[in-house]
């Protein structure tokens, strides 16, 4: 995940696959993913800003979505409590597959234009 994150800015999907293969509870999975993504993204933003790879407007946009991140965590926490363990992990796989299809579609569209 860290290598892909450094090279392409997308270490999350590989880390999801790795974590999914471990025998962890859905609660452990959620906590680890939230921590990984939060630390990964929050640690990357200042370095990108200091090297000039993002500007003030992007930094303001990043800060403006933080409340939605917290809201999504709270909603996810409530949903995870209601879903059975294996079903929750299947939902994660479905979302990951959807994200992969979306990225593939975007790449194919970009290649065609």
């Amino acid at each position: 995940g860290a290598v892909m994150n450094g090279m392409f800015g997308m270490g999350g999907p590989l880390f999801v696959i790795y974590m999914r293969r471990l025998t962890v509870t859905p609660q452990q999975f959620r906590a680890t993913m939230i921590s990984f993504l939060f630390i990964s993204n929050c640690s990357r933003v200042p370095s990108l800003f200091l090297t000039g790879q993002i500007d003030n407007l992007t930094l303001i946009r990043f800060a403006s979505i933080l409340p939605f991140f917290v809201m999504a965590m709270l909603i996810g926490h409530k949903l995870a409590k209601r879903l059975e363990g294996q079903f929750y992990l299947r939902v994660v796989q479905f979302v990951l597959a959807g994200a992969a299809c979306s990225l593939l579609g975007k790449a194919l569209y970009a290649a065609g234009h």
Side-chain angles (χ1 to χ4, degrees), residues 5-82:
N5 198 31
M7 290 173 58
F8 305 111
M10 56 165 271
L14 289 177
F15 194 66
V16 168
I17 293 167
Y18 169 74
M19 285 299 299
R20 178 64 182 94
R21 292 205 159 284
L22 294 178
T23 51
V24 296
T25 66
Q27 292 80 11
Q28 291 169 324
F29 178 85
R30 276 191 75 250
T32 303
M33 289 307 305
I34 289 169
S35 299
F36 169 78
L37 293 172
F38 185 76
I39 291 168
S40 172
N41 289 316
C42 286
S43 64
R44 200 163 39 149
V45 169
S47 65
L48 292 173
F49 181 73
L50 292 173
T51 59
Q53 296 179 42
I54 59 174
D55 57 6
N56 287 337
L57 179 59
T58 305
L59 197 57
I60 291 168
R61 287 178 179 161
F62 171 76
S64 70
I65 64 167
L66 286 177
F68 295 101
F69 177 81
V70 172
M71 186 173 58
M73 281 190 338
L74 295 173
I75 292 169
H77 180 70
K78 288 185 185 249
L79 287 175
K81 286 167 99 176
R82 292 183 179 167

Side-chain angles (χ1 to χ4, degrees), residues 88-109:
Y88 174 78
L89 295 175
R90 284 195 182 107
V91 169
V92 169
Q93 286 179 307
F94 180 76
V95 169
L96 187 60
C101 290
S102 173
L103 286 172
L104 181 61
K106 183 177 176 182
L108 290 173
Y109 178 79

